[in-house]
Amino acid sequence: MATVICVATQKGGTGKSSTAINVACALEVAGYRVIVVDTDPQATFSLWHRKRKKLGLNGFKVLQIPKGLLDEEIQALREDEKLDIILVDCPGNIEDITSTAVKLSDAVLSPLRPSSMDMTHSADTARFIKEMRNSYPDIRFILFLNAAMPRWNISRDIGPATREMLKNLPKTTVLEAKIPLAVAIAEFFGTGQSIFEYAPKSAAATAYKRLTKEVIQCLQN
C-alpha cells in the first residue's frame, strides 16, 4: 500500500507548498512513484504544476479532491499498486480539511520558520497531532527548519529548542536538514521548475535532497 504524507502547518507563510513541490520532485527523482493531492483552496501546487506541464515536464500527477471525497479518494489511492507515495498539500492552517488529511496520513511534514512565533505555532500543531494520536496512534510528526539563516541566533537555537519541547511526544522528529533562506527558492515557483531544475547546484537544492532523504529514513524506522 502507498504511504500518505501530508504537508501541513498551524499557520500560513511557512513555505508549505514550496516544501511539497520540491519533496515531491525529489521523491520522483529517487525512483518513487508519486501522486500529489492539492487540498489548498489557493491551489498553489496546482498552479505551479500547470506551468510545469506547459514546459513538457509532466512527471507526477496532481489531483484536486473536494473535502467531501477526500477520505474515499485517498483510501483508493493508497490501495493503488502503481503508487508508492501520496503527498497531500494542505491549506495554510489547521482547518477541517487538514484534520481529515492528517487522519488519513502515515506522516505529517511540517515546516518551521526561525521565529519565536513559529515555535509557538509548532507547539500548537504538536498538541493537535497528540490529540489526533488518541484515535490514530501511528501518525508520525516530522518538523524541519525552513528559511534558515546560519548567522541568526534563532536559526541555530530553534532546532534544539524544538527537540526539547517535543521530546516526550512519541513518533515526533525534528530533522537535521535545514532549508536556507535563498533567492532561488523565492524564484523557482514562477518557472514551473523544481529547485533541482532551476538551481541544481545551489545550497537550497542540496538541502531539499537531504530533507527528502531524512523524511524517507523516518518513514522506514
Side-chain angles (χ1 to χ4, degrees), residues 83-96:
L83 293 175
D84 297 314
I85 293 178
I86 303 158
L87 194 69
V88 184
D89 188 18
C90 293
N93 51 57
I94 298 297
E95 299 178 358
D96 288 345

Side-chain angles (χ1 to χ4, degrees), residues 95-143:
E95 299 178 358
D96 288 345
I97 194 166
T98 304
S99 298
T100 301
V102 169
K103 291 175 184 177
L104 298 169
S105 297
D106 300 292
V108 178
L109 181 61
S110 187
L112 172 66
R113 292 179 70 93
S115 73
S116 56
M117 182 179 294
D118 279 83
M119 279 194 66
T120 300
H121 284 296
S122 291
D124 291 340
T125 304
R127 282 192 288 270
F128 168 78
I129 297 297
K130 186 176 181 180
E131 292 172 2
M132 296 295 291
R133 283 205 186 109
N134 290 331
S135 301
Y136 306 93
D138 294 328
I139 296 173
R140 181 174 290 279
F141 188 35
I142 306 170
L143 295 93

Side-chain angles (χ1 to χ4, degrees), residues 7 20 208:
V7 184
Y208 271 115

Side-chain angles (χ1 to χ4, degrees), residues 149-214:
M149 289 291 289
R151 295 183 180 179
W152 292 3
N153 289 335
I154 194 165
S155 283
R156 293 194 298 269
D157 298 342
I158 196 167
T162 306
R163 288 187 189 91
E164 180 66 22
M165 178 177 62
L166 303 176
K167 67 180 182 180
N168 293 323
L169 287 179
K171 295 187 177 182
T172 303
T173 305
V174 180
L175 301 179
E176 294 292 337
K178 298 178 182 179
I179 305 301
L181 183 64
V183 173
I185 294 176
E187 293 177 342
F188 86 87
F189 175 82
T191 69
Q193 297 175 301
S194 70
I195 193 67
F196 313 110
E197 295 149 345
Y198 182 74
K201 297 181 180 180
S202 66
T206 300
Y208 271 115
K209 288 177 183 177
R210 182 180 179 187
L211 172 72
T212 305
K213 182 177 180 180
E214 290 187 25

Side-chain angles (χ1 to χ4, degrees), residues 24-98:
C25 290
L27 287 168
E28 184 178 49
V29 169
Y32 291 89
R33 298 169 297 177
V34 180
I35 195 166
V36 174
V37 177
D38 186 0
T39 66
D40 190 343
Q42 295 183 11
T44 303
F45 202 122
S46 296
L47 290 171
W48 170 83
H49 191 254
R50 185 174 297 176
K51 294 177 184 177
R52 186 172 183 79
K53 288 195 293 184
K54 289 179 180 179
L55 296 174
L57 301 172
N58 292 342
F60 49 77
K61 291 183 179 180
V62 177
L63 305 178
Q64 289 182 294
I65 300 175
K67 174 185 171 183
L69 297 176
L70 194 60
D71 193 327
E72 179 181 345
E73 292 294 327
I74 287 185
Q75 291 290 6
L77 289 171
R78 185 192 285 274
E79 295 172 4
D80 188 340
E81 295 182 354
K82 297 179 181 178
L83 293 175
D84 297 314
I85 293 178
I86 303 158
L87 194 69
V88 184
D89 188 18
C90 293
N93 51 57
I94 298 297
E95 299 178 358
D96 288 345
I97 194 166
T98 304

Side-chain angles (χ1 to χ4, degrees), residues 14-31:
T14 59
K16 175 186 56 60
S17 291
S18 294
T19 297
I21 287 168
N22 288 306
V23 169
C25 290
L27 287 168
E28 184 178 49
V29 169

